Amino acid sequence: MTGTPATGRRRRGEQPVVPRAEFRSYYGRPVIKAPAWAAPDIAGYFFLGGLAGAGSVFAAGAQLTGRATTATALKVSSLTAVSLSAAALIHDLGRPDRFANMLRVFKPTSPMSMGSWLLSAYGPAAGAAAASAVTGRLPRLGGAATGAAALLGPAVATYTGVLAADTAVPAWHGARRELPHLFAASAAAAAAGMALVVGPTRENAPARCAAGLAALADAAAEKAAERRLGMVAETWREGRAGALLRTARLLTAGGAVTAALLGHRRPAALVSGLALLAGSACTRFGVFAAGMASARDPKYTVVPQRERLDGRLGPQDVQED
């Protein structure tokens, strides 16, 4: 960046005699280093963790309301999803022992440390709940495990949003207040979609309602994130990220409407459930792609910082010589 540091206030009415300096990075290279994360591993990890965590909450609700078939199917789904998400994470880390090494530290202020411990506690609970539901053995232990998985599920579904927002990546950090809410809504849409796919239609009324609420929350959180991001929201609207997020909106809204109107019919329930699942996956991959795009272009790092500085100082405090 070029320009002279401020040495005092510019007097009222005084006009700058040279144009305002424009930002240029060193040979156009990025200002920050983008995360060395592969989209299939980490964006897939975001999606599968959300599906698992929200699915456990839905499973507990189904069990409490006597929807046994849906409850069992969702428990199996959550166990499968959390197993695949752990595999994706370990694949990204390179070696399984690196995940074990992450458990050597318990740091409440670190989303990565808390996420490792959350997975370690949630995974066995989801496994015990699914095993008891499928075999019918140890029902009390299965009930306790179902409750534990449901309690940990919301944190498992949303902590990845906190993890991404805790980085210096402009498209994630700038939306740090909205990203966990967006991930929660997206996870709920995925779990509702899974319930529509695997549950019988006589038990899917709560999932159809949840799909509608999740779609509304998803759209509201995404709009709020774009408003807060300002010019960085370009990365959410353009290129690969824009295409994925537009597709996500169409799939999520279409799935929710279809579920609400025709979800009592088996073919429509299946189609709407798959649409909701695909929409949730597109949301996670779209947010991931937006973050990578914002990290590659230096203007998304420096221009918002300069705008915040100008806003904090006020126009009378900014030296423009």
Side-chain angles (χ1 to χ4, degrees):
M1 191 179 327
T2 60
T4 305
T7 56
R9 293 186 176 184
R10 179 163 54 85
R11 290 191 295 275
R12 187 182 299 277
E14 183 179 353
Q15 298 297 320
V17 296
V18 295
R20 184 180 176 83
E22 295 184 357
F23 164 72
R24 294 186 183 88
S25 69
Y26 183 73
Y27 287 98
R29 296 185 64 81
V31 174
I32 64 171
K33 185 177 180 180
W37 292 343
D41 290 338
I42 299 304
Y45 170 64
F46 290 173
F47 165 68
L48 291 167
L51 173 61
S56 289
V57 177
F58 280 43
Q63 182 166 323
L64 288 173
T65 55
R67 295 174 169 84
T69 304
T70 300
T72 300
L74 286 175
K75 290 174 187 178
V76 174
S77 163
S78 290
L79 174 61
T80 304
V82 75
S83 300
L84 292 174
S85 72
L89 177 61
I90 290 171
H91 184 262
D92 185 77
L93 292 171
R95 296 201 311 265
D97 58 316
R98 288 179 176 166
F99 180 79
N101 287 338
M102 293 167 69
L103 300 177
R104 296 168 62 184
V105 177
F106 185 86
K107 190 176 181 181
T109 57
S110 168
M112 186 170 292
S113 175
M114 289 297 93
S116 303
W117 282 100
L118 268 174
L119 281 179
S120 300
Y122 171 80
S132 176
V134 171
T135 64
R137 297 188 175 185
L138 303 173
R140 290 186 178 180
L141 176 62
T146 299
L151 288 174
L152 294 170
V156 172
T158 57
Y159 98 89
T160 48
V162 180
L163 175 67
D166 197 43
T167 66
V169 175
W172 299 339
H173 185 72
R176 58 190 177 280
R177 290 184 176 85
E178 292 79 15
L179 211 53
H181 299 289
L182 177 59
F183 276 31
S186 178
M194 183 59 75
L196 289 166
V197 170
V198 299
T201 54
R202 67 178 182 280
E203 295 182 356
N204 73 7
R208 292 162 59 192
C209 294
L213 294 174
L216 291 174
D218 188 288
E222 187 177 335
K223 287 292 182 187
E226 291 187 7
R227 281 197 300 271
R228 188 179 298 279
L229 283 169
M231 60 91 71
V232 182
E234 292 172 1
T235 60
W236 286 50
R237 301 183 184 120
E238 299 175 355
R240 176 179 170 80
L244 284 166
L245 289 171
R246 285 191 295 274
T247 303
R249 285 194 291 272
L250 289 173
L251 288 170
T252 303
V257 170
T258 304
L261 299 178
L262 303 170
H264 58 285
R265 299 176 181 173
R266 185 60 191 155
L270 183 62
V271 169
S272 60
L274 291 175
L276 288 164
L277 285 164
S280 177
C282 286
T283 296
R284 307 307 177 97
F285 278 80
V287 171
F288 183 88
M292 290 301 184
S294 70
R296 286 192 293 268
D297 193 331
K299 74 178 181 183
Y300 295 124
T301 301
V302 176
V303 174
Q305 290 178 350
R306 186 162 191 167
E307 290 176 348
R308 287 194 295 271
L309 179 63
D310 289 354
R312 188 163 56 245
L313 294 177
Q316 73 279 10
D317 297 319
V318 179
Q319 186 76 14
E320 299 195 36
D321 55 0

